[in-house]
Amino acid sequence: MVAYKFTYFNGRGAGEVVRQILAYAGQEYEDNRVTMEEWPALKDGTPFGQLPLLEVDGKPLAQSHAIARYLAREFKLNGKCPWEEAQVNALADQFKDYSSEAKSYFYAKMGFGPGDVETLKKDVFLPAFEKFYTFLSKALKKSGSGFLIGDGLTWIDLAIAQHSADLLAQGADFGKFPDLKDHSEKIQSIPQIKKWIDTRPVTPF
Ligand code: GSH
């Protein structure tokens, strides 16, 4: 049997989609959460000096999306054909672009970066959010299934549903995107995902 060890900080962040793929699949794994005090001693031993990190029978794999794609392939959450898989990857890459565009706002909001949160919200976050969520809304209309791509769950549904849930919990205005609010609720009420959300460690982000 394959042994999975997943290492990340004690937060959702870039690690949560991986944990949700494993939860959906019912796959046992070691959920290794390191503290900021432990991290400096581990950093140089990781492939790129960052977390998350998945170890598969002791072999390390870094980069959250590479890990998600690898596990999604193992657990059939990559779409039903190569074309769907490519569409999932396109949305995932766009999600990274949006995250980079809005990074200064998210960092300031978490207390990790400089700047006035309200100014960054208006100038940085809201334009990026509106642009990206318009793309997501088009994807939902195109699939017509309630899932972003095709007619079944893929890992990008898990990633976007969690991000939307985090934004909603912070009071974000989804008035223009009720379909994405519905999407988040639908995905997060899938029994395996709901069970994970109900039992996972409570962290601020
Ligand atoms: N592109 C990487 C991924 O998606 O996995 C980014 C990873 C990343 O930014 N990791 C941060 C980290 O390891 C935590 S979210 N920070 C500690 C450090 O850089 O020393």
Side-chain angles (χ1 to χ4, degrees):
M1 205 176 64
V2 181
Y4 294 101
K5 177 176 176 180
F6 182 64
T7 302
Y8 190 57
F9 300 103
N10 185 28
R12 294 184 300 282
E16 183 61 14
V17 68
V18 176
R19 297 192 189 107
Q20 289 195 15
I21 292 169
L22 291 162
Y24 180 77
Q27 174 62 52
E28 276 185 30
Y29 69 105
E30 185 183 343
D31 185 6
N32 182 36
R33 294 169 183 246
V34 304
T35 64
M36 292 314 284
E37 290 70 41
E38 292 166 328
W39 172 234
L42 302 172
K43 185 175 170 80
D44 288 347
T46 64
F48 305 130
Q50 287 196 310
L51 296 177
L53 177 74
L54 178 72
E55 288 165 80
V56 183
D57 285 338
K59 289 179 297 180
L61 177 64
Q63 284 289 353
S64 58
H65 279 193
I67 297 168
R69 287 175 172 126
Y70 171 77
L71 291 175
R73 183 169 283 232
E74 288 292 303
F75 300 121
K76 308 206 176 337
L77 286 171
N78 250 344
K80 295 202 172 78
C81 63
W83 183 250
E84 281 190 11
E85 181 174 337
Q87 299 300 305
V88 169
N89 287 337
L91 267 191
D93 285 354
Q94 194 60 38
F95 185 32
K96 282 260 180 192
D97 286 357
Y98 152 79
S99 302
S100 299
E101 276 170 48
K103 187 173 171 176
S104 57
Y105 165 73
F106 291 127
Y107 272 49
K109 192 161 171 59
M110 290 187 292
F112 294 155
D116 176 64
V117 175
E118 281 311 307
T119 306
L120 287 168
K121 180 176 180 180
K122 188 164 82 51
D123 296 345
V124 174
F125 169 68
L126 287 175
F129 171 74
E130 179 131 357
K131 184 171 88 172
F132 182 52
Y133 271 67
T134 299
F135 296 146
L136 294 175
S137 195
K138 277 187 190 158
L140 279 179
K141 273 194 191 71
K142 189 170 172 211
S143 79
S145 65
F147 299 102
L148 286 163
I149 303 295
D151 62 1
L153 182 72
T154 65
W155 71 271
I156 197 60
D157 287 303
L158 298 173
I160 298 300
Q162 183 58 54
H163 183 66
S164 298
D166 287 336
L167 293 177
L168 285 160
Q170 293 164 18
D173 181 2
F174 271 58
K176 285 189 184 165
F177 303 107
D179 46 350
L180 269 308
K181 182 170 183 284
D182 291 349
H183 170 262
S184 180
E185 287 165 2
K186 170 188 160 97
I187 301 301
Q188 298 220 312
S189 60
I190 293 170
Q192 301 96 305
I193 299 302
K194 183 174 180 334
K195 185 175 165 204
W196 165 248
I197 290 169
D198 289 347
T199 56
R200 70 187 171 190
V202 176
T203 58
F205 38 75

